[in-house]
Amino acid sequence: MALHRLTSITVGVPNVAETAAYYDEFGLTPDGDGWLRTRDGGRQLRIVFAPTRRLVDLRVGVDDQDDLARAANNLTRLGVEVHRGVNSITAVEKATGTRAWLEIADRVAQDPVPAPIYNGPGRAERTGQRAPGVLRAARVQPRKLGHAVLGSPDFEVTKAFFVDGFGFKISDHIKGAGCFMRCSTDHHNVLVLRAPVSFLHHTSWQVDDIDDVGRGAHAMLEDHPDRHVWGLGRHYGGSNFFWYLKDPAGNFSEYYSDMDCIVDDQLWTPQDLEGARGLYAWGPPVPPSFLHPEDLAALMTGAHSTA
């Protein structure tokens, strides 16, 4: 795959300091000029000012100049204006207004994390000791940015931009509602949803395992129970464990672990996920605010006013 990872995103919010402090507490490390770092991915989130919350830009890593040239030609055929830099190209996705970049970047090499040892029926693999997950004391720090989810008022245009233009691959569809797309071996790095207005639904951050999904959420909710959105659960599309929280600007942020990995495209068949499978395999009932964020009407009003 010419594309190899989601390198970073820039999120615009009206309350920069408050939102940046939230992601510091979430486990990212401040790195100057609005940037925050993950443990393995480096600078992957930038918080900047915007009148309303939105995804300002999204960056994708490629290996070489041939990858840039191929994508530039594809975007031009779609009628998208492309700006070329020395080691990057950039274009604005028309339906959402998000500026997307392809940039030559190093691949992320993650040191293997030892698999947790679990006991099960007739299988006592951990004896004479407590589970390591209950003994961890260090705060949870995400390993890398996993994906971003965008609402688009013109689903087909946004999907074509990423798939036919940038070269993302389709992993699954949510029938009539969305498309899971990947620029790495992870099941998805961008999910685009049909929506009445452009908005950032959530960003997702990889942690080691289900214990760290729970520990991270527990720490974030201990003094701020109002941050809770949805979890603990497990998705069907991607198979990952999840827990969603809400940042001070209204964006959802997800801790996840155990994402499906697609190494050989020939061995994966995209599905049209219907009903509950489009959302989850198990977990608490889906809250209405997850499907229709509480500020969606205000975002629509703002979009119409700007237009």
Side-chain angles (χ1 to χ4, degrees):
M1 174 180 273
L3 315 181
H4 60 74
R5 68 175 173 120
L6 186 58
T7 54
S8 70
I9 55 173
T10 298
V11 177
V13 299
N15 49 347
V16 173
E18 187 182 5
T19 303
Y22 169 93
Y23 284 99
D24 183 356
E25 188 178 348
F26 189 80
L28 306 184
T29 303
D31 198 34
D33 197 25
W35 283 99
L36 296 104
R37 301 177 62 90
T38 58
R39 292 177 67 182
D40 298 336
R43 283 181 157 195
Q44 294 204 278
L45 175 64
R46 192 181 189 196
I47 307 293
V48 300
F49 174 79
T52 58
R53 65 183 184 89
R54 60 182 295 262
L55 183 63
V56 176
D57 76 28
L58 174 150
R59 295 175 181 246
V60 175
V62 300
D63 287 325
D64 54 41
Q65 294 288 342
D66 288 343
D67 299 330
L68 297 179
R70 186 183 309 111
N73 290 336
N74 291 339
L75 289 164
T76 300
R77 281 197 293 269
L78 291 176
V80 176
E81 183 178 3
V82 178
H83 297 274
R84 300 174 187 246
V86 176
N87 290 309
S88 66
I89 64 169
T90 179
V92 175
E93 196 287 298
K94 296 177 182 178
T96 63
T98 298
R99 180 169 293 279
W101 300 68
L102 286 185
E103 56 188 7
I104 296 175
D106 293 335
R107 294 180 175 242
V108 170
Q110 294 186 291
D111 294 331
V113 175
I117 300 173
Y118 293 113
N119 291 332
R123 192 185 76 251
E125 297 183 359
R126 188 192 71 252
T127 60
Q129 58 182 320
R130 300 187 194 277
V134 306
L135 299 176
R136 295 174 193 164
R139 74 170 187 152
V140 172
Q141 294 180 286
R143 292 281 181 172
K144 68 175 184 177
L145 170 64
H147 57 266
V149 178
L150 283 172
S152 172
D154 196 329
F155 172 83
E156 296 299 340
V157 166
T158 304
K159 176 183 171 184
F161 178 91
F162 284 106
V163 175
D164 301 327
F166 265 37
F168 278 60
K169 297 183 179 180
I170 295 173
S171 298
D172 285 310
H173 284 97
I174 303 174
K175 191 170 183 179
C179 181
F180 292 98
M181 302 173 289
R182 66 186 187 275
C183 62
S184 71
T185 57
D186 291 341
H187 177 271
H188 57 284
N189 303 105
V190 171
L191 166 59
V192 58
L193 300 170
R194 296 184 188 273
V197 66
S198 172
F199 73 102
L200 174 62
H201 186 276
H202 73 265
T203 60
S204 188
W205 306 87
Q206 182 195 58
V207 296
D208 287 356
D209 54 27
I210 188 173
D211 278 299
D212 275 9
V213 171
R215 289 197 318 113
H218 175 81
M220 291 293 288
L221 296 173
E222 195 165 17
D223 295 323
H224 301 276
D226 56 305
R227 290 172 171 171
H228 174 72
V229 177
W230 186 30
L232 173 73
R234 186 159 192 156
H235 287 303
Y236 185 89
S239 301
N240 52 292
F241 295 107
F242 66 81
W243 201 317
Y244 293 91
L245 308 165
K246 184 165 68 174
D247 74 22
N251 305 297
F252 300 148
S253 56
E254 176 191 15
Y255 290 116
Y256 82 89
S257 69
D258 194 22
M259 176 73 73
D260 286 335
C261 187
I262 304 171
V263 176
D264 188 337
D265 296 332
Q266 302 303 313
L267 300 180
W268 184 269
T269 302
Q271 296 182 22
D272 286 330
L273 309 180
E274 297 187 68
R277 278 190 170 182
L279 291 166
Y280 66 137
W282 58 260
V286 185
S289 64
F290 186 80
L291 300 176
H292 302 284
E294 294 166 354
D295 63 348
L296 193 56
L299 293 173
M300 290 174 65
T301 301
H304 292 315
S305 298
T306 301

